[in-house]
Amino acid sequence: MRKIHCINNISKCGTDLFTGGYILTDSMAEAEGVLVRSASMHDMELPENLLAVARAGAGVNNIPLERCAREGIVVFNTPGANANGVKELVLAGLFLASRDVVGGISWCQGIKDDPDIAKTVEKGKKDFAGHEIMGKKLGVIGLGAIGAEVANAAAALGMEVCGYDPYISVNAAWGLSRDVKHITSADTIYEECDYISVHVPLMDATKKMINRDTIGRMKDGVVVLNFARDLLVDDDAMEAALESGKVSRYVTDFPNPKSVNMKGAIAIPHLGASTEESEDNCAKMAVKEMMDYLENGTIKNSVNFPNCDMGVCRTASRVAVFHENIPNMIGQISGTLAAAGVNISDMTNKSRDKYAYTLLDLETRLEDVTLRKLEAIKGVCRVRVVK
């Protein structure tokens, strides 16, 4: 019986997919698999028997990826499962920034006891007049699952859309509307767009990518939307730009002590993927990824190991070896098996940065002594008997 621990509340639409060979446990220490949403795992002790962590969402900043890789723990995420929920909120952000809906609602609440409120609003509504988004130019930086959907939806609403992503996947490119212009430089977006929406992961190269320099290249009165990660925007630079009017509105889904007090900022309480549908979709995808890995050794949508799929094992045994991506590892693994008289029926080796994953179908089951010899090879992080 495989034991699964949920650190956060995970939608039953996902956990109900576990078959009779699985049981949910309240004990992290005895779990082979962990499901998590936003809880930080950086200071948690990871049990020796832990094989996989599945994040019901896209971001994995709350998971110690390097430590998991060293210990042969596969970390999955669920790209695209919450894309529609985030896309819809980005569209809401576009409207909120273009029409002063928030200010108008607040003003109405302030005069709610006025017996002549109908007449008062007719006189005062001019103070909240805004702009229509049709015909305006939107720049989308990052055309992954969410960015591509935002670009397509904005184009359908009549906006002129430019998309920038030097690492766009083939699938994402095929999914883009023909009305979205794919450009080769972010400078075009900074210099020409009325609205800019950022949809990139947080890395050293993207941290504070919206800064004094990039804002300085933007059009006066530009609207900036950030529904990706808080630290993609330099708060000091954004505050100054809002004060000067260089940026007319900053819409962020990541309130912090600075952004909630910025003039012209609209801070939304991280609602991007907070829909029942998104949570259900993420949970279902995370559970399916984990089950396929635990049962077959298949890796799909991992963030610390390469994708690898050999289907269902049809031989006597399947063994997974996690190891450093260094020369002669395959030779040492196959040599150890050959010395023990074990024949390899099929094998796949995939690498990702510093680490690699080797999946082997064997004609006989491994003896414990052979398993120990594989584990003793320098550079091997973990050996797992899948079947």
Side-chain angles (χ1 to χ4, degrees):
M1 189 71 71
R2 292 188 170 99
K3 296 181 178 181
I4 307 297
H5 176 64
C6 299
I7 296 178
N8 299 109
N9 290 327
I10 304 296
S11 168
K12 277 181 60 60
C13 288
T15 55
D16 284 350
L17 295 177
F18 283 120
T19 58
Y22 295 84
I23 186 172
L24 297 179
T25 176
D26 291 331
S27 173
M28 171 90 163
E30 61 182 18
E32 288 184 71
V34 162
L35 294 170
V36 63
R37 288 177 60 199
S38 58
S40 176
M41 296 182 64
H42 287 283
D43 296 326
M44 292 183 181
E45 183 176 344
L46 303 180
E48 289 185 9
N49 48 288
L50 183 61
L51 301 176
V53 175
R55 160 80 163 97
V60 289
N61 293 20
N62 56 320
I63 302 170
L65 302 182
E66 174 65 23
R67 177 155 57 114
C68 287
R70 287 197 310 268
E71 298 179 21
I73 300 170
V74 182
V75 179
F76 299 94
N77 69 343
T78 57
N82 59 12
N84 186 70
V86 179
K87 174 204 74 179
E88 289 186 0
L89 196 64
V90 174
L91 295 179
L94 276 171
F95 293 122
L96 291 174
S98 302
R99 310 283 292 273
D100 192 6
V101 178
V102 174
I105 292 172
S106 178
W107 178 64
C108 283
Q109 285 298 303
I111 60 171
K112 62 183 178 181
D113 296 326
D114 182 352
D116 294 320
I117 189 171
K119 292 181 179 179
T120 303
V121 296
E122 287 303 316
K123 293 178 181 178
K125 67 181 183 181
K126 63 181 182 296
D127 294 334
F128 305 98
H131 303 277
E132 297 176 17
I133 65 171
M134 179 177 284
K136 302 300 190 303
K137 197 166 188 176
L138 169 68
V140 180
I141 302 177
L143 295 169
I146 296 171
E149 288 210 18
V150 169
N152 289 346
L157 289 170
M159 299 190 79
E160 182 182 349
V161 183
C162 294
Y164 169 73
D165 191 334
Y167 309 107
I168 187 172
S169 68
V170 173
N171 287 339
W174 276 107
L176 273 182
S177 165
R178 64 181 181 180
D179 294 322
V180 176
K181 183 179 179 182
H182 188 209
I183 60 175
T184 58
S185 173
D187 289 338
T188 303
I189 288 178
Y190 294 140
E191 294 166 6
E192 298 181 4
C193 291
D194 305 299
Y195 299 81
I196 297 174
S197 191
V198 184
H199 300 280
V200 298
L202 179 63
M203 305 179 293
D204 289 341
T206 60
K207 186 175 182 180
K208 294 187 178 182
M209 62 180 289
I210 304 300
N211 52 47
R212 181 178 179 181
D213 176 58
T214 54
I215 291 173
R217 283 180 270 158
M218 295 178 189
K219 294 176 66 174
D220 291 344
V222 67
V223 171
V224 178
L225 303 103
N226 178 14
F227 288 81
R229 286 290 178 268
D230 187 23
L231 294 179
L232 296 174
V233 174
D234 183 327
D235 282 339
D236 291 335
M238 181 57 68
E239 183 179 45
L242 287 166
E243 286 288 342
S244 68
K246 178 69 176 181
V247 175
S248 64
R249 287 286 188 182
Y250 172 47
V251 187
T252 176
D253 202 26
F254 309 98
N256 62 47
K258 190 138 196 167
S259 64
V260 294
N261 289 295
M262 290 181 190
K263 173 187 175 182
I266 300 173
I268 301 171
H270 201 186
L271 298 181
S274 293
T275 66
E276 289 186 15
E277 294 85 354
S278 288
E279 292 179 8
D280 291 348
N281 291 338
C282 288
K284 288 187 284 189
M285 190 171 179
V287 168
K288 289 177 181 177
E289 291 167 348
M290 180 169 288
M291 290 177 65
D292 201 8
Y293 170 67
L294 294 178
E295 295 171 17
N296 302 306
T298 300
I299 296 180
K300 182 180 181 181
N301 294 325
S302 171
V303 294
N304 63 344
F305 281 102
N307 287 346
C308 182
D309 186 355
M310 284 178 52
V312 177
C313 179
R314 304 297 182 186
T315 60
S317 180
R318 175 171 287 179
V319 174
V321 183
F322 298 85
H323 54 87
E324 295 175 10
N325 186 21
I326 55 179
N328 198 35
M329 287 301 300
I330 302 303
Q332 293 185 78
I333 292 169
S334 59
T336 300
L337 293 173
V342 178
N343 193 43
I344 301 172
S345 173
D346 196 6
M347 179 180 73
T348 297
N349 170 261
K350 301 288 185 179
S351 63
R352 179 173 183 167
D353 300 326
K354 297 190 298 182
Y355 296 97
Y357 182 65
T358 300
L359 204 56
L360 308 106
D361 282 355
L362 310 177
E363 294 186 356
T364 56
R365 294 190 65 82
L366 284 185
E367 300 288 340
D368 284 346
V369 62
T370 307
L371 185 63
R372 300 286 90 81
K373 286 180 179 179
L374 288 173
E375 292 174 335
I377 296 173
K378 186 176 180 180
V380 168
C381 307
R382 182 176 214 146
V383 180
R384 176 189 168 222
V385 177
V386 180
K387 174 187 174 185

